[in-house]
Amino acid sequence: DTPRFLESVGRSEEAVRVLTALRGNEQAASRELAMVRVELEEEKRIGSASWGEIFVNPFFRNVVILGCFVQFFQIITGINAMVSFGGTLFEGVGVTGLLPALTPPLSFLIGNTIGGFGLVDRLGRRTLLIWGMAGMALSMLAGGVVALIAGEHPSQTAGYAIIAMIVGYMFSFGVSWGFGAWLYISEIMPLR
């Protein structure tokens, strides 16, 4: 159990023990526990929110609407289609094998790791979401142009170019919207 939970249910001794184990000394643990107590008292003073406040309070309503739009934009990027039909697309462009099949998900994983652990606090959430969307749009545009030029039966070179654009798309999604939408929403929602 977390120290905050333990303190909220009146198990202060256990909260101090857990914090001491985390912080290394009892003095630091006691200071942090005092801050937790202040926060808990403030939350009790403010009270809890009701579902009705979403409709009456413009702040809550706007945050919920913004959260819904962020999730909508994450879905509308087309990531579900890329993940679900990637194998079929590869077969359609004449590219088979394990490496082409694994490259897009690996690029997503690498992008997610770079964005989530390296860039999000340096560049900011909004900047990553905007640049990620631009990267996804350019990748899909370039892939679409190559597919249009290649026609009904694309060459293997055109197939690899299309896969490269999908890799760029997956990386751009991973570095931005893959984790960014969930992070952004969790940070804008009120705690009450």
Side-chain angles (χ1 to χ4, degrees):
D1 293 325
T2 66
R4 180 183 174 83
F5 170 76
L6 293 170
E7 182 62 31
S8 71
V9 294
R11 294 163 49 188
S12 298
E13 297 81 23
E14 290 178 64
V16 169
R17 256 195 323 272
V18 171
L19 276 172
T20 302
L22 288 172
R23 302 298 177 241
N25 66 49
E26 195 168 330
Q27 185 180 15
S30 296
R31 274 195 315 268
E32 189 168 341
L33 191 58
M35 290 189 290
V36 167
R37 286 182 183 129
V38 169
E39 288 177 5
L40 289 172
E41 287 301 318
E42 179 67 18
E43 288 174 10
K44 284 180 188 173
R45 187 185 64 76
I46 292 173
S48 60
S50 69
W51 283 102
E53 284 187 79
I54 293 173
F55 303 106
V56 195
N57 186 331
F59 172 73
F60 288 132
R61 181 180 56 241
N62 293 343
V63 167
V64 168
I65 290 170
L66 180 61
C68 291
F69 273 113
V70 168
Q71 284 301 312
F72 171 76
F73 285 122
Q74 183 192 38
I75 292 168
I76 204 73
T77 63
I79 190 64
N80 293 340
M82 286 296 132
V83 171
S84 299
F85 301 109
T88 306
L89 177 67
F90 294 167
E91 288 176 17
V93 295
V95 177
T96 58
L98 186 61
L99 185 61
L102 287 179
T103 304
L106 285 175
S107 68
F108 168 77
L109 178 65
I110 291 167
N112 214 330
T113 303
I114 291 170
F117 293 110
L119 297 178
V120 70
D121 288 327
R122 290 187 186 137
L123 300 178
R125 282 89 172 126
R126 184 174 179 266
T127 303
L128 272 182
L129 294 176
I130 291 170
W131 283 105
M133 189 64 78
M136 289 185 286
L138 290 174
S139 297
M140 285 294 100
L141 181 64
V145 167
V146 169
L148 189 63
I149 292 170
E152 189 74 25
H153 302 287
S155 67
Q156 192 171 23
T157 305
Y160 280 118
I162 291 169
I163 289 178
M165 294 304 107
I166 292 171
V167 167
Y169 171 87
M170 295 289 281
F171 179 83
S172 296
F173 182 84
V175 84
S176 59
W177 287 86
F179 73 92
W182 298 100
L183 177 65
Y184 188 73
I185 288 171
S186 71
E187 291 179 345
I188 65 170
M189 292 296 166
L191 296 176
R192 187 170 85 85

